Amino acid sequence: MTRYINGLVFNSKTRSFEKSNFQVHGQYFKQSNAVETKIDLDGYYITPGFIDSCSQIGLAEIGIRWEGDDSFEFESHLQYSVVDGIYPFDIAFKKAISHGITASHIVPSPKSLIGAKTAIIHHIHTTVDEMVIKKDVAYSFSIGQNAKSTFFVEKKKPLTRMGIAKIMRETLQQIKEQEPLIRKIVVRAHKAVDIELIARLQQEFEFDFHIIHGTEIPLLEDPLLNTVIAGPTFRYIEHNEMMALSPKLYKQLAASKIPFVLCTDHPVSSATHLALEGCLAVREGLSRQDMVYALTTGAATFLGIEHITGSIKDSLLADFVVWNKHPLDLDAKVVATFIKGKKVYAWEEGLTK
């Protein structure tokens, strides 16, 4: 049993940092009188582990060519699952941990019109099965330029948006009949016309639809949307559907009262840039406490794992990060990262016990 004292701990209920203590027993946060070790965190900020709400980490290895890309299949099948393609030794995991990210929601590449069942994983372990926090979280789709161009390369003929809508409706019906436990649908979309299609499908099917990216959502008047997986906005403009991409999206979503969480879609933007997305949202006028919440408890709640991780409170997995400054200061450093109570990263000049 280890007791951590005097740290500025993020309180997910008040969304503020408060000087307090917490205890870790084995893999969990747990209060007890039987304290074996005491660690003073005076002057440090402590948050739950950051969660990347859309990532291809482990599916698309950085620094590797096509042979390291398991992020999409051209042909569709309801039994495709990202769990079967994740490589646990992708060097990106260590980089992510060193920046305070302890878990990711793994989603196939935007090249896949019909994607796969998504999963949430921790960033450390030697087997994928050990990494999995929750599998079969959602079923994924991608619509727009990337999916259309991939289809054209393979089939040598164009795929129109009418064709995409037909394929999506057929697949959604199959999911309804064959995968009744999956209620969440995530769809990559940038353009307003594609976002309108998602809103239309939401009226036709009894699923919870969520948009990834949502670049042109501000062009629509009062769209009825569920939680948006927004971003990444710190990335290159890959094609013309993204010309409106800007960190202003975060403030526009908030002004429209559309709930959102943040992502890097690694390797589109490096997983190490997740905190930067929060900083950019703050630059656009959103509060730091709301962005820390969105990166931690808010992401966990959206993904349905808030009873497992995402907050510093008893009975949850002890996934937490020690920072030398407020985590959304641009020069903040991760002093130590813990997953399931075990220290998995330490900055050489920081906390070492």
Side-chain angles (χ1 to χ4, degrees), residues 5 37 46 154 172 233 246 251 280 283 301:
I5 62 173
T37 306
I46 297 89
E154 181 71 21
L172 287 166
T233 61
S246 165
K251 187 172 184 179
L280 291 171
R283 189 193 70 180
T301 301

Side-chain angles (χ1 to χ4, degrees), residues 26-50:
Q27 297 184 2
Y28 299 93
F29 295 114
K30 184 178 180 180
Q31 291 297 321
S32 172
N33 293 325
V35 176
E36 299 175 0
T37 306
K38 188 179 290 186
I39 295 179
D40 192 346
L41 295 179
D42 186 36
Y44 293 109
Y45 287 78
I46 297 89
T47 65
F50 282 8

Side-chain angles (χ1 to χ4, degrees), residues 124-135:
I124 193 164
H125 281 308
T126 55
T127 70
V128 175
D129 289 338
E130 291 176 309
M131 298 171 79
V132 170
I133 300 173
K134 183 180 180 180
K135 62 180 180 179

Side-chain angles (χ1 to χ4, degrees), residues 177-251:
E177 295 170 358
Q178 300 176 34
E179 297 281 357
L181 297 181
I182 294 182
R183 307 305 309 156
K184 194 186 295 290
I185 303 295
V186 294
V187 189
R188 294 175 180 274
H190 289 281
K191 292 197 73 172
V193 62
D194 297 324
I195 295 164
E196 285 188 291
L197 170 61
I198 297 165
R200 200 173 300 123
L201 294 172
Q202 193 166 267
Q203 300 300 314
E204 298 174 22
F205 293 89
E206 295 180 354
F207 291 108
D208 297 325
F209 285 84
H210 302 275
I211 294 169
I212 301 171
H213 309 312
T215 301
E216 292 189 356
I217 287 176
L219 298 181
L220 303 176
E221 186 174 348
D222 298 325
L224 297 176
L225 300 175
N226 296 318
T227 299
V228 173
I229 304 174
T233 61
F234 184 73
R235 59 161 300 180
Y236 63 96
I237 302 301
E238 185 179 359
H239 47 75
N240 66 348
E241 292 185 357
M242 299 165 56
M243 294 303 292
L245 185 65
S246 165
K248 290 182 174 60
L249 174 65
Y250 299 131
K251 187 172 184 179

